[in-house]
Amino acid sequence: MIKKWKRFAALTLCGSALLAACGSGEASSEPGNTDNNDSNNDTTEESNEPTQITWMNMLHTASPPTDTVTNAIEEYTNTELEFQWIPDASKEERLNTALASGNLADIVTLTILDNSSVRNALKAGQFWDVEPFLDEFDNLSQITEDTRRSASIEGVLYGIPFQKPLARNGVVLRKDWLDNLGMEEPQTLEELYEVARAFSEDDPNGTGQNDTTGFMDRADLKYGSFKTLATYHGVPNEWKEESGEFTPQFDTPEYVEALEYMRELYTNGLINQDFAVTAKTDQQEGFAQGRAGIYVGGLMDARNLYTLSEGITDDMELSQLNKINKDGSDDYAIWSDNNGVGGLLAFPKSEVSDENELRDVLQFVNDIMDEEVYIMMTSGIEGVHHEMDGNTSNRINEDLWQQEVQPFASSRPKEIGYDLVTGDELKLYSDNLILENEEIAVLNPAYSLESTTFTSQGSELSVIIEDATYQYILGDIDLDGFEAAVERWYQSGGQQIVEEYEAAWAEIN
Amino acid sequence: MEQQALESNIELTKKKSYDWMQHKYLYAMIFPGLLYFIIFKYLPMGGLIIAFQDYQPFLGIFGSPWVGLKHFSRLFTDDVFFMLLRNTLYLFGLNIFLFFPMPIILSLMLNEVANKRFKSSIQTIIYIPHFMSWVIIVSISFVLLSLDGGLINELIAYLGGEKISFLTSPTWLPRIYIIQVIWKELGWSTIIYLAAITSVDTQLYEAADMDGAGRLRKMWHVTLPAIRGTIITLMILKIGNVLNLGFEHLHLLINSMNRSVAEIFDTYIYTAGLQNGQLSFSTAVGMFKGLVGFVLVWGTNKLAKKMGEDGVY
């Protein structure tokens, strides 16, 4: 009996040793492609062994994609890909621990460039400066000087910038409810307020019950309603720059107006009363269930909201608006998210050890910017997820697309300047509005400026303002209380940030 | 005389080393445990060194610049520190004064239940919440307490009252916190007390019966004094966890409106360190927290010994 047991133990031990050996073998044979890929003529060296690439990437969907699209991309780019998906909700802690422990991949998607440890890691030289290599590649050389500068930190470009539309936010609302009430699409903030009031009080869904509200918002001042409504009020995007003088957005009279507007909405019950603790999924579900009629956020969410509503609220019709302002004039504005830079695809020196390896990885990033791969990552594989009709792609299997393609949408290094058009009406409409937004987008003048205090304490300081903003909207503090918070922000380091930005600005101009 | 004492002393050491040799296998069995503590508990303490540096992962412990007590002076001069201390102590107070006596009372009551089957089914039922994760418990309370169609608020509105914003109100946070703690841990915490109660000598009860003591008298004069040692030991252990109020729990409850009463050391360390990447500063905060916990355990233990109890070490 004992003997048997011993044998078993020995076997297990051997087995695990074997497995361990396999594991380390795999790791060491990793990128090892030493062929000189200097030229980006992909005709001559097509016969190469596929390059092995690991990619630490953000996941914005509930589960990672299956292999279908990955295989197609691998085939096109002659690579073997291995993804390490980081759920977007825990990106801060995951990235920070990855950076601290040095557990990185060949490509790391960094979307939070203003996070202090990410910024420190970049500035400390943990990642390659890619700018000298860009012009060797077709697509990478097309990245405009503006984008390169916006994505740089202290003048150095530590990765391939994600090129996103400048501004994607706007208002989505229930067209059928407007029609029921005989109302027009709102064009001013006042009209928007009136719509919200009518949606709450005038029984837009005709059930005879008081079961609807105007806005459905979530606990997110930036990507939720507040920041978008604030730009409609004329609030600058994070910072106001006037001949070299910087003022934070919350120290402007417009910000207070926006606060007041939100507070009115809240106290009159025109917004879901627990918006300050509502998660994005609950918000979207609430809208899809027909509990509210106005959604402020990414315009492309219109499509998701509609999909969600199918089977629950069948008669839903959606309007999308991007031009609302105070007075109905032709002067519009919408804030730009990170000035159109969605982050960086960065290459850690610990994984990508020399310039040849870097060129291999850059070649891959360059290749996935080709229109063919863009289509794979946007619409999926022809005949499986969609059918092409000229430049128009029509989705044929919504569920499969959501599972296998959607997760890649946020990994596209470039989302603008392609010919592909969607066949979906709602999506096409939001795409067009987002294009229109380019012209009215308000940039953050401090985005590419450097402030050491902002790097080290910025996120902590912003909590002061964030909390005060919520508290004001919910009526927990008054204007004096809010101003005290702003004062506290200045005292605890904000003043230094202002000075550092002004100094950095003066240096460039 | 002295000679004799010396000899017996030598004898003693000899005997001791002999003891050691004789039980060497028993001692060897301690070894894996010791190793565990050295590798996983003591060696990582070396990492505390980064509290005195401006630690940057890329530069490593040896490359990062030394800044002395910079992070500590920032901590102690910051308003946040007093907020954290106040919140931590307040919630800890609730834990000690409201929660701690409850399982004792409950186990005394359970002990009085005569029907064995009834008693054990009650026990099983009250153990169940312990196995639920905080996410579930907080989600359930969310659904119950929400302003937008939460059951309790709907009930209040139906009865003509005004809805209460439980989830965003600083006054309600500590109450919700302690109610959730009690709901989850009350049953489970009775286990040790019940075990202690079963070991009380039955002769004592018989003697008390003879003296004409009723149920309450027996509880007060026999059962409680008999489990006094257990209560004190558990109290010391509880105090050792003074600053571990449950990161997960509060992290789920915290939001912009109740932060002023809900932010404790643990949640602050998480936000400052793991989310905002201020590794050195959050290590300094964590180190302070550890020191306070240590002093409290040491102090309570001393106190327990002074009062003639055993203490935990």
Side-chain angles (χ1 to χ4, degrees), chain B residues 98-270:
Chain B
L98 278 179
F99 174 68
F100 189 75
M102 286 210 175
I104 303 173
I105 298 169
L106 182 66
S107 32
L108 288 177
M109 278 157 58
L110 277 174
N111 189 44
E112 297 300 317
V113 174
N115 186 331
K116 267 267 159 59
R117 279 187 65 183
F118 180 66
K119 182 179 162 190
S120 58
S121 45
I122 291 273
Q123 273 177 280
T124 316
I125 290 167
I126 61 176
Y127 292 163
I128 289 173
H130 172 78
F131 298 100
M132 288 187 194
S133 78
W134 280 119
V135 179
I136 294 174
I137 292 168
V138 173
S139 305
I140 294 175
S141 356
F142 239 69
V143 175
L144 289 176
L145 299 173
S146 165
L147 280 174
D148 299 316
L151 188 70
I152 292 180
N153 267 321
E154 289 303 309
L155 197 70
I156 293 174
Y158 178 75
L159 297 173
E162 193 162 325
K163 288 189 179 183
I164 301 167
S165 52
F166 294 106
L167 299 171
T168 54
S169 134
T171 27
W172 276 94
L173 178 105
R175 303 175 198 173
I176 294 172
Y177 167 83
I178 199 68
I179 290 172
Q180 285 170 341
V181 169
I182 290 170
W183 190 79
K184 184 175 193 281
E185 297 298 345
L186 176 58
W188 189 253
S189 313
T190 58
I191 291 183
I192 294 178
Y193 293 116
L194 283 172
I197 289 172
T198 49
S199 66
V200 177
D201 192 347
T202 44
Q203 288 183 12
L204 290 174
Y205 289 113
E206 283 158 16
D209 273 337
M210 297 291 279
D211 292 343
R215 286 191 152 197
L216 278 177
R217 283 278 154 214
K218 274 192 280 182
M219 225 187 256
W220 186 253
H221 290 293
V222 181
T223 322
L224 264 183
I227 62 169
R228 202 172 97 161
T230 315
I231 294 175
I232 286 184
T233 308
L234 286 180
M235 183 77 141
I236 295 172
L237 291 177
K238 182 100 190 156
I239 287 172
N241 275 331
V242 49
L243 303 174
N244 294 334
L245 295 165
F247 159 74
E248 202 190 340
H249 186 189
L250 277 159
H251 182 64
L252 292 165
L253 286 174
I254 211 165
N255 57 48
S256 281
M257 267 64 57
N258 60 24
R259 197 187 309 280
S260 58
V261 294
E263 189 94 88
I264 55 167
F265 282 107
D266 290 322
T267 54
Y268 189 71
I269 290 167
Y270 170 79

Side-chain angles (χ1 to χ4, degrees), chain A residues 324-340:
Chain A
I324 293 176
N325 60 13
K326 266 194 278 197
D327 45 12
S329 65
D330 284 343
D331 203 12
Y332 297 105
I334 183 65
W335 62 283
S336 165
D337 191 10
N338 296 327
N339 295 0

Side-chain angles (χ1 to χ4, degrees), chain A residues 93-106:
Chain A
E93 57 174 291
R94 288 284 299 276
L95 270 180
N96 276 324
T97 32
L99 288 170
S101 60
N103 252 327
L104 298 160
D106 298 337

